[in-house]
Every structure is written in structure tokens, then in C-alpha cells.
Amino acid sequence: MKDALAIHRWLLAHQVHHEIVRLPRPMTCAEELPEAVSAAPERCLMVTVLEVTTWVGREVVVGVTSPVSSPPRPGALGGLLRARQVRPAPAHVINATTDYACGLVCPLLLPESLPMFIDDRLLADTEPFFTATGERHTALSMRSLDLLAVLPGKMVDLRGSRARGARVAVARRH
């Protein structure tokens, strides 16, 4: 399993400024980050791993990096990917696919074979983002711009917006 030390070494090798934060108490999942680091939920990131079934019946595992405040809705991702079904991946699939502990997946050092999507609501500024490290007692803190520069994946709109416009009821012909 990957951990804070592996992330720290990788970031040092790429000369990216960061900080590994020791947490006052252990956390069980990334959703606990805002309380653990006293940060706004929009500044704390989580990775959601999902199983996607395509229309031709192919099973694919994908990851989504998003703020804790707005986790990805499977329906929004399904619409984006034009998938038949999208569901949360079970813990054993998350552990095997990401090499991180389920619930504590860091968006860095993920395998290249895992398709990754990044929620476009992540703010590109100089304030820090916090993310899990795979360990219960630590978190990663990085400037937003630095983290977005090294995050793998494609920026996507996960709001799941529908086409706008007036809806008009049309009477059926008798």
C-alpha cells in the first residue's frame, strides 16, 4: 500500500512544494478531512472510485477527484461517459486498483491504467488543498495551483446539468 512517505518522496523528486500534516486524531475516510485539518470542505479533496458498465457490457473502473463538499454523483458521471450503469466500487476493488486504503485514496501516484477525472469546480488559486495520503494519521497539504499541475486526469463538468429552456406540455392527438 502507498503511504505518506511514498507521496513525499515523489513530490520531492518532482520539486513540488508540499507539507505532510500530522492529524490530531485518526480519520477513517477523506470526508473527515475538513474537521481533521480545520479547513473548508471545498478545500479538501477526495477520490471516488466507481465501477462503470458501458453499453456494450464492458466493466471499467474509474476515479474522480472532487471536493469533499460535492462528491460526484454517479448519474452525472454516467451521463458524461454515456454509460449504462455507474456504481461505487467495493473496498477490495478500490484497494487493489489504487494501492491505497479504501476511503483514504490520494489523487497522486495512481496507476496510469486507471482513468481519472477531475471536477472542474476545483479552484485554481494560491490557497492550499488538503487530501488523504492513504494513512489514517496524515494528510497532504499543497497549494492549489501546484496540485492541479501534477494531478493526473481530465477536467470535466460533473454538475450533471440538463439542457436549459422552457418545457412545454404538448397535448396528444385524439
Side-chain angles (χ1 to χ4, degrees):
M1 288 285 189
K2 293 182 182 126
D3 58 7
L5 183 57
I7 296 165
H8 174 69
R9 287 179 176 157
W10 186 84
L11 289 168
L12 283 176
H14 289 84
Q15 299 180 351
V16 178
H17 183 70
H18 66 282
E19 181 181 357
I20 302 294
V21 179
R22 185 94 174 133
L23 302 176
R25 64 182 183 344
M27 63 179 182
T28 57
C29 61
E31 288 90 345
E32 298 172 7
L33 265 172
E35 189 177 320
V37 296
S38 299
E42 300 80 34
R43 304 308 301 184
C44 298
L45 304 182
M46 62 188 284
V47 175
T48 305
V49 180
L50 302 158
E51 290 182 322
V52 176
T53 304
T54 65
W55 282 103
V56 293
R58 196 170 140 232
E59 295 282 330
V60 181
V61 177
V62 301
V64 180
T65 301
S66 64
V68 169
S69 62
S70 47
R73 293 189 343 255
L77 188 64
L80 179 74
L81 298 175
R82 292 176 170 63
R84 183 183 329 163
Q85 183 180 24
V86 178
R87 62 195 170 283
H92 68 90
V93 171
I94 295 170
N95 295 344
T97 303
T98 66
D99 203 26
Y100 283 107
C102 178
L104 300 171
V105 178
C106 179
L108 301 175
L109 296 181
L110 293 169
E112 289 182 22
S113 61
L114 178 67
M116 285 297 298
F117 299 97
I118 304 165
D119 192 326
D120 69 353
R121 290 176 279 194
L122 298 184
L123 301 173
D125 56 24
T126 58
E127 295 299 312
F129 272 136
F130 296 89
T131 186
T133 62
E135 297 177 351
R136 297 169 41 120
H137 296 279
T138 60
L140 172 66
S141 173
M142 286 179 66
R143 251 178 21 128
S144 168
L145 289 170
D146 293 338
L147 183 61
L148 290 173
V150 296
L151 271 183
K154 177 182 179 182
M155 282 281 209
V156 293
D157 178 3
L158 293 174
R159 290 174 193 85
S161 59
R162 297 181 186 159
R164 301 275 186 230
R167 294 183 184 206
V168 179
V170 178
R172 291 188 313 185
R173 293 201 162 178
H174 298 284

